[in-house]
PDB file of all heavy atoms in Angstrom:
ATOM      1  N   ASP F  44     194.033 271.877  24.932  1.00  0.00           N
ATOM      2  CA  ASP F  44     194.868 271.943  26.183  1.00  0.00           C
ATOM      3  C   ASP F  44     195.956 270.901  26.214  1.00  0.00           C
ATOM      4  O   ASP F  44     196.859 270.925  27.037  1.00  0.00           O
ATOM      5  CB  ASP F  44     193.935 271.774  27.415  1.00  0.00           C
ATOM      6  CG  ASP F  44     193.061 272.954  27.597  1.00  0.00           C
ATOM      7  OD1 ASP F  44     193.320 274.075  27.034  1.00  0.00           O
ATOM      8  OD2 ASP F  44     191.970 272.813  28.217  1.00  0.00           O
ATOM      9  N   ALA F  45     195.800 269.884  25.361  1.00  0.00           N
ATOM     10  CA  ALA F  45     196.794 268.790  25.271  1.00  0.00           C
ATOM     11  C   ALA F  45     196.874 268.322  23.834  1.00  0.00           C
ATOM     12  O   ALA F  45     195.945 268.497  23.008  1.00  0.00           O
ATOM     13  CB  ALA F  45     196.415 267.631  26.190  1.00  0.00           C
ATOM     14  N   GLU F  46     198.036 267.583  23.565  1.00  0.00           N
ATOM     15  CA  GLU F  46     198.186 267.024  22.241  1.00  0.00           C
ATOM     16  C   GLU F  46     198.703 265.632  22.460  1.00  0.00           C
ATOM     17  O   GLU F  46     199.516 265.343  23.333  1.00  0.00           O
ATOM     18  CB  GLU F  46     199.122 267.803  21.370  1.00  0.00           C
ATOM     19  CG  GLU F  46     200.519 267.950  21.899  1.00  0.00           C
ATOM     20  CD  GLU F  46     201.467 268.809  21.080  1.00  0.00           C
ATOM     21  OE1 GLU F  46     201.210 268.911  19.881  1.00  0.00           O
ATOM     22  OE2 GLU F  46     202.442 269.318  21.650  1.00  0.00           O
ATOM     23  N   ILE F  47     198.266 264.642  21.634  1.00  0.00           N
ATOM     24  CA  ILE F  47     198.702 263.313  21.637  1.00  0.00           C
ATOM     25  C   ILE F  47     200.110 263.316  21.035  1.00  0.00           C
ATOM     26  O   ILE F  47     200.282 263.790  19.928  1.00  0.00           O
ATOM     27  CB  ILE F  47     197.799 262.349  20.894  1.00  0.00           C
ATOM     28  CG1 ILE F  47     196.415 262.314  21.540  1.00  0.00           C
ATOM     29  CG2 ILE F  47     198.394 260.934  20.824  1.00  0.00           C
ATOM     30  CD1 ILE F  47     196.325 261.638  22.853  1.00  0.00           C
ATOM     31  N   VAL F  48     201.087 262.785  21.722  1.00  0.00           N
ATOM     32  CA  VAL F  48     202.450 262.656  21.222  1.00  0.00           C
ATOM     33  C   VAL F  48     202.914 261.260  20.875  1.00  0.00           C
ATOM     34  O   VAL F  48     203.834 261.014  20.190  1.00  0.00           O
ATOM     35  CB  VAL F  48     203.496 263.394  22.125  1.00  0.00           C
ATOM     36  CG1 VAL F  48     203.253 264.894  22.137  1.00  0.00           C
ATOM     37  CG2 VAL F  48     203.466 262.845  23.558  1.00  0.00           C
ATOM     38  N   TYR F  49     202.235 260.271  21.509  1.00  0.00           N
ATOM     39  CA  TYR F  49     202.457 258.900  21.217  1.00  0.00           C
ATOM     40  C   TYR F  49     201.232 258.106  21.606  1.00  0.00           C
ATOM     41  O   TYR F  49     200.626 258.354  22.646  1.00  0.00           O
ATOM     42  CB  TYR F  49     203.716 258.320  21.976  1.00  0.00           C
ATOM     43  CG  TYR F  49     203.914 256.908  21.578  1.00  0.00           C
ATOM     44  CD1 TYR F  49     204.651 256.555  20.462  1.00  0.00           C
ATOM     45  CD2 TYR F  49     203.436 255.851  22.363  1.00  0.00           C
ATOM     46  CE1 TYR F  49     204.841 255.215  20.031  1.00  0.00           C
ATOM     47  CE2 TYR F  49     203.580 254.476  21.972  1.00  0.00           C
ATOM     48  CZ  TYR F  49     204.293 254.204  20.869  1.00  0.00           C
ATOM     49  OH  TYR F  49     204.485 252.916  20.476  1.00  0.00           O
ATOM     50  N   GLN F  50     200.896 257.116  20.813  1.00  0.00           N
ATOM     51  CA  GLN F  50     199.833 256.170  21.162  1.00  0.00           C
ATOM     52  C   GLN F  50     200.020 254.840  20.388  1.00  0.00           C
ATOM     53  O   GLN F  50     200.523 254.816  19.302  1.00  0.00           O
ATOM     54  CB  GLN F  50     198.446 256.747  20.810  1.00  0.00           C
ATOM     55  CG  GLN F  50     198.257 257.158  19.401  1.00  0.00           C
ATOM     56  CD  GLN F  50     196.930 257.862  19.186  1.00  0.00           C
ATOM     57  OE1 GLN F  50     196.085 257.979  20.077  1.00  0.00           O
ATOM     58  NE2 GLN F  50     196.719 258.409  18.012  1.00  0.00           N
ATOM     59  N   ASN F  51     199.675 253.698  21.083  1.00  0.00           N
ATOM     60  CA  ASN F  51     199.803 252.461  20.390  1.00  0.00           C
ATOM     61  C   ASN F  51     198.456 252.064  19.756  1.00  0.00           C
ATOM     62  O   ASN F  51     198.422 251.019  19.096  1.00  0.00           O
ATOM     63  CB  ASN F  51     200.376 251.348  21.301  1.00  0.00           C
ATOM     64  CG  ASN F  51     199.498 250.975  22.363  1.00  0.00           C
ATOM     65  OD1 ASN F  51     198.383 251.539  22.676  1.00  0.00           O
ATOM     66  ND2 ASN F  51     199.843 249.896  23.154  1.00  0.00           N
ATOM     67  N   CYS F  52     197.456 252.869  19.890  1.00  0.00           N
ATOM     68  CA  CYS F  52     196.160 252.698  19.172  1.00  0.00           C
ATOM     69  C   CYS F  52     195.425 254.056  19.334  1.00  0.00           C
ATOM     70  O   CYS F  52     195.586 254.697  20.346  1.00  0.00           O
ATOM     71  CB  CYS F  52     195.391 251.516  19.627  1.00  0.00           C
ATOM     72  SG  CYS F  52     194.613 251.689  21.220  1.00  0.00           S
ATOM     73  N   PRO F  53     194.636 254.398  18.305  1.00  0.00           N
ATOM     74  CA  PRO F  53     193.865 255.583  18.470  1.00  0.00           C
ATOM     75  C   PRO F  53     192.814 255.621  19.607  1.00  0.00           C
ATOM     76  O   PRO F  53     192.315 254.526  19.977  1.00  0.00           O
ATOM     77  CB  PRO F  53     193.087 255.750  17.164  1.00  0.00           C
ATOM     78  CG  PRO F  53     193.914 254.828  16.179  1.00  0.00           C
ATOM     79  CD  PRO F  53     194.442 253.735  17.075  1.00  0.00           C
ATOM     80  N   LEU F  54     192.654 256.724  20.234  1.00  0.00           N
ATOM     81  CA  LEU F  54     191.746 256.778  21.388  1.00  0.00           C
ATOM     82  C   LEU F  54     190.290 256.405  21.000  1.00  0.00           C
ATOM     83  O   LEU F  54     189.528 255.898  21.874  1.00  0.00           O
ATOM     84  CB  LEU F  54     191.707 258.222  21.937  1.00  0.00           C
ATOM     85  CG  LEU F  54     192.910 258.608  22.777  1.00  0.00           C
ATOM     86  CD1 LEU F  54     192.867 260.126  23.105  1.00  0.00           C
ATOM     87  CD2 LEU F  54     192.997 257.820  24.034  1.00  0.00           C
ATOM     88  N   ASP F  55     189.912 256.623  19.750  1.00  0.00           N
ATOM     89  CA  ASP F  55     188.621 256.248  19.330  1.00  0.00           C
ATOM     90  C   ASP F  55     188.422 254.855  18.799  1.00  0.00           C
ATOM     91  O   ASP F  55     187.391 254.470  18.344  1.00  0.00           O
ATOM     92  CB  ASP F  55     188.056 257.283  18.282  1.00  0.00           C
ATOM     93  CG  ASP F  55     188.902 257.320  17.039  1.00  0.00           C
ATOM     94  OD1 ASP F  55     189.966 256.704  17.001  1.00  0.00           O
ATOM     95  OD2 ASP F  55     188.430 257.980  16.047  1.00  0.00           O
ATOM     96  N   ARG F  56     189.545 254.048  18.937  1.00  0.00           N
ATOM     97  CA  ARG F  56     189.437 252.673  18.542  1.00  0.00           C
ATOM     98  C   ARG F  56     189.991 251.699  19.514  1.00  0.00           C
ATOM     99  O   ARG F  56     190.825 250.858  19.233  1.00  0.00           O
ATOM    100  CB  ARG F  56     190.211 252.523  17.189  1.00  0.00           C
ATOM    101  CG  ARG F  56     189.530 253.270  16.042  1.00  0.00           C
ATOM    102  CD  ARG F  56     190.108 252.875  14.694  1.00  0.00           C
ATOM    103  NE  ARG F  56     189.884 254.008  13.797  1.00  0.00           N
ATOM    104  CZ  ARG F  56     190.838 254.588  13.137  1.00  0.00           C
ATOM    105  NH1 ARG F  56     192.067 254.203  13.218  1.00  0.00           N
ATOM    106  NH2 ARG F  56     190.575 255.591  12.355  1.00  0.00           N
ATOM    107  N   LEU F  57     189.583 251.879  20.758  1.00  0.00           N
ATOM    108  CA  LEU F  57     190.099 250.970  21.870  1.00  0.00           C
ATOM    109  C   LEU F  57     189.440 249.588  21.819  1.00  0.00           C
ATOM    110  O   LEU F  57     190.021 248.635  22.319  1.00  0.00           O
ATOM    111  CB  LEU F  57     189.788 251.632  23.163  1.00  0.00           C
ATOM    112  CG  LEU F  57     190.423 253.030  23.355  1.00  0.00           C
ATOM    113  CD1 LEU F  57     189.905 253.650  24.706  1.00  0.00           C
ATOM    114  CD2 LEU F  57     191.898 252.962  23.329  1.00  0.00           C
ATOM    115  N   MET F  58     188.243 249.535  21.216  1.00  0.00           N
ATOM    116  CA  MET F  58     187.529 248.292  21.146  1.00  0.00           C
ATOM    117  C   MET F  58     187.341 247.886  19.689  1.00  0.00           C
ATOM    118  O   MET F  58     187.171 248.758  18.815  1.00  0.00           O
ATOM    119  CB  MET F  58     186.160 248.408  21.819  1.00  0.00           C
ATOM    120  CG  MET F  58     186.196 248.967  23.205  1.00  0.00           C
ATOM    121  SD  MET F  58     186.892 247.803  24.356  1.00  0.00           S
ATOM    122  CE  MET F  58     185.434 247.186  25.108  1.00  0.00           C
ATOM    123  N   ASP F  59     187.268 246.561  19.439  1.00  0.00           N
ATOM    124  CA  ASP F  59     187.026 246.146  18.057  1.00  0.00           C
ATOM    125  C   ASP F  59     185.496 246.035  17.821  1.00  0.00           C
ATOM    126  O   ASP F  59     184.686 246.401  18.675  1.00  0.00           O
ATOM    127  CB  ASP F  59     187.706 244.748  17.804  1.00  0.00           C
ATOM    128  CG  ASP F  59     187.216 243.585  18.591  1.00  0.00           C
ATOM    129  OD1 ASP F  59     186.066 243.712  19.147  1.00  0.00           O
ATOM    130  OD2 ASP F  59     187.867 242.589  18.625  1.00  0.00           O
TER     131      ASP F  59
END
Side-chain angles (χ1 to χ4, degrees):
D44 294 336
E46 61 182 337
I47 298 289
V48 293
Y49 181 84
Q50 57 187 352
N51 69 351
C52 71
L54 285 171
D55 61 351
R56 293 193 206 124
L57 302 174
M58 307 290 258
D59 66 16

